[in-house]
């Protein structure tokens, strides 16, 4: 199969790129395009050219797998230069996504016709690189400097309507964009319009302060990342220098960034997410359809989960026996959708459809025609067992039951049911309708059909769904528990919350351990601790700083005070009363506080998690390191530019990890710090979690 074909339609030459799955600009595509352009130039019957794509999308960018390998000729910028230099007008026909090198290619065409559902963007910065083929100097000539900065440094694609408004697209088509582009080319010929080269357009005027403002903005929104700042540099150069010089500068910066550790980590994150969301042996064809869902329990989690289904167009029966709780849940859902309409996120018709698809009830019977029911009641084995039995009694024999438990044993929950093969876990994260991560849990007796169904469902709900095994806290919370333990131990040993949080934020987490606790509610953390006291070590039980803070009625952001105090705008400040409480607590318990370095804080937080991750892999609770990295990137704010905990572990090296873990064992005991056998084996053999 040829990656690029070219046919004549009347006097319009239609060049089609066909390089599944996403028409990436691989070497065969670049060479094919160059050849097709040469043919078109020399062919007298060709008066205009349309560049279109086969399959589901326009060119979605460079082939990311080729990054880091020696570049093969021709370079994309050479191909784009040839297209732009064409004496005959060239029209891009864009459907699906025109991303990265794909949008750069389209910007090199003289005109762009877009499908009304198309997405256009320069997401390179999300991969730690920048557009390397003239994307920024061309985009700012078409759409202005501000828009170019937003798209390139911000990395978010825009829709067809916005592209038209910004001057990036010339026309849009409701259907058959290729036919519309051919018609557009014919009109150009009829009107005597020729090539319109983007590089020849004047650079729009802009205030010099705009760059510094953008730099500051991206320093906040993309903290610690190099690529967005490099985009600002290239935009500045594009305004100050010739087109050719700015393209050359962009290429130089691209080459420097593509080899950087950040780009390697971000590329890893891209592929890890695609691997993790496709567990082995669960083909999508085996998934049962979910036409109607049930949710039992209308607290915060149940309400959020119900919205996940409604947002995906799946009708929901919401069961809650407490009338007040049910009414409050329906009100929350209604308010969320009204707010979405007010903010222009959804139309009134969508609001009506979603609200109309919700059936609130106090009875279990209406669950009878649901294909899947999610249980989201109080986290208590006895309560959950009873609720699951009531659900099963009212369900069709083939319908599935998913529990949203965050740490109870799913196998024990399923044990008393008649059809344990239909029972799975779906661990949503709060707020469920917003958080991307979904830990799907395979029970010992869950059927492959049940598992394939929840994986397919996760995708339909727009989640990053990762399959995990039964374990206390599954993958994410189990690793977090290790970090949490160390954070509290460090408070009694000598650190303060603001120091621990600063270190975690400087590493790249959006917030630190104690900010997170305050956000989620200290009563939640306290209840969780109380329910687990029998499983905690004597030192963990004795480490009661949280108990003392909660006893003062400080429950976190919701009460205006927790580890920090908050004003009415939820602005956080350090509270000396908390520092005193921590120091007094240590004195009373005879602990001599010492200075704890930032380096120690970071190591103890990260290495405790990594070691647990290694155990999780050995036990098969996670099947692959990619699963763990994906969970931490999407559910816990692990900085994407560091690739995830297991990728980061490889950067540190197993030998160093084992050495530091032994060091902390010498201080705190092997009970907390024993290198996982997998790490020891890696240290011995020189391996890592990923092949080098
Ligand atoms: N290079 C290589 N493979 C790619 C790819 C790319 N640019 N984009 C997608 N793929 C692969 C995926 O890995 C996946 O492969 P498997 O089926 O083997 O897992 C397959 O294509 C389908 O991808 P998705 O599962 O993501 O499909 P989707 O329909 O959900 O999304 C998409 C499609 C919106 C195009 C999405 O894949 C995407 O955002 N891709 C990345 C786009 C991007 O970042 N482009 C810029 C690249 S950098 C660049 O272009 C700079 C330059 O020129 C030098």
């Amino acid at each position: 199969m040829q990656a690029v074909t070219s046919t004549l339609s009347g006097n319009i030459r239609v060049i089609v790129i066909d390089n599944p799955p996403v028409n990436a600009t691989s070497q065969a595509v670049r060479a094919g395009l160059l050849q097709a352009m040469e043919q078109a130039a020399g062919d007298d019957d060709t008066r205009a050219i349309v560049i279109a794509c086969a399959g589901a999308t326009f060119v979605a960018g460079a082939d990311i797998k080729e990054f880091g390998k020696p570049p093969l000729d021709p370079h994309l910028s050479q191909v784009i230069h040839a297209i732009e230099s064409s004496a005959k007008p060239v029209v891009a026909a864009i459907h699906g996504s025109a991303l990265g090198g794909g949008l750069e290619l389209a910007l090199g065409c003289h005109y762009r016709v877009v499908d009304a559902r198309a997405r256009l963007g320069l997401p390179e910065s999300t991969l730690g690189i920048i557009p390397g083929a003239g994307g920024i100097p061309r985009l700012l000539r078409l759409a202005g400097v501000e828009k170019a900065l937003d798209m390139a440094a911000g990395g978010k694609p825009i829709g067809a309507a916005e592209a038209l408004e910004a001057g990036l697209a010339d026309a849009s088509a409701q259907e058959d964009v290729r036919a519309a582009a051919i018609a557009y080319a014919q009109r150009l010929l009829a009107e005597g319009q020729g090539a319109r080269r983007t590089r020849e357009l004047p650079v729009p005027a802009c205030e010099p302060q705009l760059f510094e403002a953008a730099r500051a903005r991206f320093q906040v929104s993309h903290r610690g990342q190099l690529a967005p700042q490099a985009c600002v540099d290239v935009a500045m150069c594009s305004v100050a220098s010739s087109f050719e010089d700015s393209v050359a500068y962009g290429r130089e910066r691209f080459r420097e960034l593509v080899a950087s550790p950040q780009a390697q980590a971000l590329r890893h994150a891209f592929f890890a997410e695609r691997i993790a969301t496709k567990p082995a042996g669960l083909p999508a064809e085996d998934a049962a359809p979910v036409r109607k869902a049930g949710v039992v329990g209308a607290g915060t989690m149940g309400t959020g989960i119900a919205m996940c289904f409604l947002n995906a167009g799946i009708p929901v029966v919401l069961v809650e026996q407490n009338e007040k709780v049910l009414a409050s849940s329906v009100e929350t859902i209604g308010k969320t959708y009204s707010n979405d309409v007010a903010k222009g996120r959804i139309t009134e018709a969508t609001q009506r459809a979603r609200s109309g698809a919700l059936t609130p009830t106090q009875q279990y019977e209406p669950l009878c025609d649901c294909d899947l029911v999610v249980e989201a009641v109080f986290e208590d084995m006895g309560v959950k067992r009873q609720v699951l039995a009531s659900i099963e009694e009212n369900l069709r024999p083939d319908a599935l039951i998913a529990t949203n438990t965050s740490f109870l044993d799913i196998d024990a929950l399923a044990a008393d049911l008649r059809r344990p093969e239909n029972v799975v876990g779906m661990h949503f994260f709060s707020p469920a309708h917003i958080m991307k991560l979904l830990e799907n849990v395979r029970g010992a007796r869950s059927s492959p059909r049940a598992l394939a169904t929840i994986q397919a469902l996760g995708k339909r709900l727009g989640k990053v769904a990762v399959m995990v095994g039964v374990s206390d806290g599954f993958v994410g919370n189990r690793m977090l528990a290790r970090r949490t333990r160390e954070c509290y131990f460090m408070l009694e040993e000598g650190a303060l919350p603001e120091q621990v949080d600063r270190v975690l934020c400087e590493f790249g987490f959006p917030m630190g351990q104690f900010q997170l606790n305050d956000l989620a509610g200290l009563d939640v953390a306290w209840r969780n601790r109380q329910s687990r006291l029998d499983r905690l070590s004597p030192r963990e039980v004795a480490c009661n700083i949280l108990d003392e803070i909660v006893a003062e009625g400080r429950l976190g952001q919701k009460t205006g005070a927790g580890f920090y105090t908050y004003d009415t705008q939820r602005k956080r400040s350090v509270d000396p009363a908390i520092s005193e409480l921590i120091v007094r607590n240590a004195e009373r318990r005879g602990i001599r506080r010492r200075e704890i370095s930032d380096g120690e804080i970071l190591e103890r937080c990260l290495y405790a998690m990594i070691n647990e991750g290694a155990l999780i892999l050995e036990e098969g609770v996670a099947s692959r390191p990619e699963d763990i990295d994906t969970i931490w990137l999407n559910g816990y704010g692990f900085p994407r530019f560091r690739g995830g905990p297991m990728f980061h572990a490889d950067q540190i090296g197993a030998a160093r990890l084992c050495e530091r873990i032994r060091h902390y064992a010498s201080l705190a005991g092997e009970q907390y710090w024993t290198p996982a056998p997998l790490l020891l084996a890696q240290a011995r053999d020189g391996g890592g979690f990923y092949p080098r």
Side-chain angles (χ1 to χ4, degrees):
M1 192 189 69
Q2 274 192 303
V4 178
T5 53
S6 159
T7 49
L8 204 56
S9 164
N11 53 4
I12 312 289
R13 182 155 295 276
V14 183
I15 298 175
V16 176
I17 303 167
D18 189 1
N19 184 28
V22 296
N23 292 317
T25 57
S26 324
Q27 196 274 340
V29 169
R30 300 195 301 270
L33 276 173
L34 210 51
Q35 197 186 10
M37 286 307 296
E38 276 164 18
Q39 183 194 11
D43 171 26
D44 290 342
D45 293 335
T46 298
R47 299 212 29 234
I49 299 156
V50 165
I51 298 183
C53 283
T57 181
F58 191 75
V59 176
D63 185 342
I64 301 171
K65 293 194 189 90
E66 283 185 2
F67 290 170
K69 296 184 186 158
L72 297 170
D73 279 342
H75 188 270
L76 182 62
S77 51
Q78 191 186 337
V79 178
I80 296 175
H81 183 79
I83 293 170
E84 196 171 42
S85 303
S86 165
K88 302 171 184 179
V90 186
V91 182
I94 299 172
H95 74 296
S97 301
L99 298 175
L103 182 58
E104 291 186 295
L105 177 77
L107 296 175
C109 295
H110 304 143
Y111 304 91
R112 284 151 296 277
V113 177
V114 293
D115 180 280
R117 289 153 303 228
R119 316 261 319 143
L120 289 78
L122 292 175
E124 282 89 340
S125 68
T126 65
L127 292 165
I129 54 172
I130 60 168
I136 294 175
R138 284 197 180 86
L139 184 55
L140 59 78
R141 280 171 167 76
L142 283 168
V145 179
E146 193 144 18
K147 191 81 187 167
L149 278 172
D150 271 354
M151 286 182 70
K156 274 211 186 96
I158 59 171
E162 201 177 333
L164 271 172
E165 201 183 303
L168 242 161
D170 299 283
S172 87
Q174 284 305 324
E175 49 198 83
D176 199 348
V177 73
R178 199 184 299 180
I182 294 172
Y184 192 89
Q186 276 159 346
R187 233 181 6 261
L188 287 173
L189 294 177
E191 290 168 6
Q193 305 225 40
R196 184 193 59 184
R197 297 187 185 94
T198 312
R199 65 176 184 235
E200 289 167 5
L201 298 176
V203 174
C206 76
E207 300 290 331
Q209 308 84 287
L210 189 141
F211 294 108
E212 285 324 302
R215 214 178 266 296
R217 204 165 66 243
F218 295 118
Q219 255 153 16
V220 175
S221 62
H222 294 68
R223 194 158 40 91
Q225 297 186 38
L226 305 173
Q229 298 297 327
C231 287
V232 180
D233 296 340
V234 174
M236 279 177 81
C237 173
S238 307
V239 168
S241 318
S242 70
F243 177 80
E244 287 70 23
D245 285 352
S246 48
V247 173
Y249 178 64
R251 273 189 73 176
E252 187 189 315
R253 296 300 302 272
F254 172 88
R255 272 199 293 267
E256 162 200 318
L257 284 166
V258 79
S260 69
Q262 286 198 359
Q264 287 171 26
L266 287 161
R267 277 201 296 279
H268 162 75
F270 178 85
F271 287 115
E273 281 170 354
R274 278 152 184 84
I275 290 170
T277 46
K278 292 184 197 113
L282 293 177
E285 305 84 78
D286 290 358
V290 178
R291 296 179 210 91
K292 187 170 184 180
V295 176
V296 178
T300 310
M301 279 317 284
T303 304
I305 295 169
M307 284 193 274
C308 291
F309 287 112
L310 295 171
N311 297 354
I314 302 172
V316 175
V317 176
L318 178 60
V319 182
E320 168 61 60
Q321 288 183 319
N322 182 318
E323 196 180 343
K324 270 199 191 139
V325 174
L326 184 61
S328 146
S329 169
V330 173
E331 194 186 328
T332 303
I333 294 174
K335 271 193 193 150
T336 306
Y337 290 147
S338 307
N339 195 27
D340 285 348
V341 172
K343 294 212 162 130
R345 292 194 198 119
I346 58 171
T347 62
E348 281 181 15
T350 306
Q351 176 191 23
R352 273 195 304 278
R354 289 182 184 176
S355 301
L358 176 69
T359 310
T361 170
Q362 289 175 267
Q363 316 300 325
Y364 280 88
E365 288 79 8
L367 294 174
C368 62
D369 59 347
C370 289
D371 301 301
L372 173 139
V373 176
V374 182
E375 163 283 304
V377 299
F378 190 64
E379 196 73 0
D380 174 274
M381 188 60 104
V383 175
K384 284 205 190 265
R385 274 201 167 130
Q386 227 171 22
V387 167
L388 290 176
S390 305
I391 294 173
E392 188 178 56
E393 220 166 89
N394 287 279
L395 276 192
R396 280 196 330 257
D398 63 318
L400 305 181
I401 304 178
T403 167
N404 177 52
T405 182
S406 41
F407 62 85
L408 294 177
D409 181 345
I410 290 180
D411 295 330
L413 285 171
D416 294 342
L417 296 180
R418 270 175 288 159
R419 295 181 290 273
E421 67 278 12
N422 287 351
V423 180
V424 290
M426 286 181 87
H427 181 212
F428 288 85
F429 288 73
S430 185
H433 61 299
I434 293 178
M435 292 291 288
K436 292 290 272 181
L437 179 63
L438 175 65
E439 279 182 331
N440 276 335
V441 192
R442 95 181 88 73
R445 296 171 69 182
S446 311
S447 71
R449 181 187 77 102
L451 298 176
T453 303
I454 53 172
Q455 268 310 113
L457 180 61
K459 184 162 188 182
R460 199 169 152 205
L461 299 183
K463 301 290 180 197
V464 175
V466 183
M467 187 65 73
V468 300
V470 172
S471 169
D472 187 8
F474 307 119
V475 171
N477 283 349
R478 180 169 154 184
M479 288 167 70
L480 179 66
R482 299 294 170 262
R483 187 185 90 177
T484 306
R485 178 197 73 205
E486 286 308 307
C487 286
Y488 279 94
F489 280 0
M490 285 188 282
L491 287 191
E492 58 178 27
E493 289 172 38
L496 288 172
E498 55 274 24
Q499 185 193 5
V500 174
D501 287 350
R502 176 180 51 73
V503 169
L504 288 172
C505 289
E506 281 171 4
F507 179 74
F509 280 99
M511 63 177 84
Q513 174 73 37
F514 300 106
Q515 293 165 345
L516 182 69
N517 279 164
D518 272 359
L519 180 70
L522 298 191
D523 50 336
V524 176
W526 181 82
R527 258 202 312 276
N528 188 8
R529 173 174 152 79
Q530 296 308 309
S531 69
R532 301 160 63 85
L533 278 179
D534 56 345
R535 275 175 281 168
L536 299 182
S537 69
R539 180 175 173 191
E540 287 171 284
V541 174
C543 180
N544 62 349
I545 295 166
L546 177 69
D547 305 348
E548 290 191 356
I549 296 177
V550 169
E552 292 192 359
R554 302 176 68 122
L555 304 185
Q557 284 199 17
K558 60 184 163 194
T559 57
F563 280 98
Y564 300 91
T565 44
Y566 299 87
D567 67 12
T568 47
Q569 311 301 313
R570 300 212 163 189
K571 193 170 168 302
R572 174 171 40 88
S573 19
V574 170
D575 187 346
I578 287 295
S579 320
E580 283 162 25
L581 182 148
I582 290 169
V583 171
R584 267 201 323 272
N585 178 286
E587 271 168 16
R588 207 173 35 252
R589 296 175 41 227
I591 299 169
R592 260 189 63 182
R593 285 170 62 81
R594 63 183 169 93
E595 193 165 317
I596 298 194
S597 70
D598 290 359
E600 177 174 342
I601 292 176
L602 191 61
E603 284 192 346
R604 286 173 65 175
C605 285
L606 293 181
Y607 297 1
M609 279 167 48
I610 290 170
N611 202 41
E612 196 65 23
L615 293 172
I616 284 172
L617 277 173
E618 275 176 65
E619 292 166 20
V621 172
S623 313
R624 302 157 298 192
E626 287 91 345
D627 298 354
I628 299 182
D629 283 341
T630 300
I631 285 170
W632 271 82
L633 292 172
N634 288 280
Y636 297 85
F638 198 95
R640 211 176 159 77
F641 63 86
R642 296 192 193 272
M646 307 327 273
F647 183 85
H648 188 64
D650 278 0
Q651 314 313 303
I652 299 162
R656 163 100 184 144
L657 285 166
C658 290
E659 178 216 318
R660 298 305 292 164
I661 289 172
R662 286 201 188 95
H663 166 73
Y664 291 119
S666 72
L667 301 181
E670 288 185 351
Q671 177 182 11
Y672 305 111
W673 293 99
T674 298
L678 187 57
L679 274 181
L680 288 172
Q682 287 176 1
R684 193 185 54 232
D685 306 339
F689 291 103
Y690 294 99
R692 271 156 222 267

